[in-house]
Amino acid sequence: VQLQASGGGLVQAGGSLRLSCTASGTSASIDNMEWYRQAPGKQRDLVATVTSGGSTNYANSVKGRFTISRDNAKKTVYLQMNNLRPEDTAVYYCSADFIDYTKPEVWRSWGQGTRVTVSN
């Protein structure tokens, strides 16, 4: 199972970026999909969650600025980030909770991380 993240980069404060993360290598169902971030010297924090049904939840620090969404057919989760701030600078990681009903088995996989840098 592989999660491939992309979309990071360097942007000025107030700008926007869209992150994507696509799952491959399994036919298992996907439950929750999440985005986390880890700033230098800090722990990895949950940014946003989207359930299989499309319900979303956000960290207080990004509410109103970030939007998480998913395309179940493409096994892809997105994070639209608007009005970016220097404190949003971090490596962003996607994760997905997989369910194989035939075994049954559940597990979480992580993407490799994509760096977002917001300059003043």
Side-chain angles (χ1 to χ4, degrees), residues 25-36:
T26 180
S27 59
S29 300
I30 304 176
D31 193 9
N32 289 354
M33 303 185 83
E34 301 95 4
W35 285 98
Y36 288 76

Side-chain angles (χ1 to χ4, degrees), residues 4 8-9 11 17 31 39 51 65-66 70 72-73 77 81 84 111:
Q4 183 67 44
V11 64
L17 284 173
D31 193 9
T51 70
R65 300 187 298 123
F66 291 10
R70 63 191 283 171
N72 291 328
V77 61
M81 305 185 294
L84 282 161

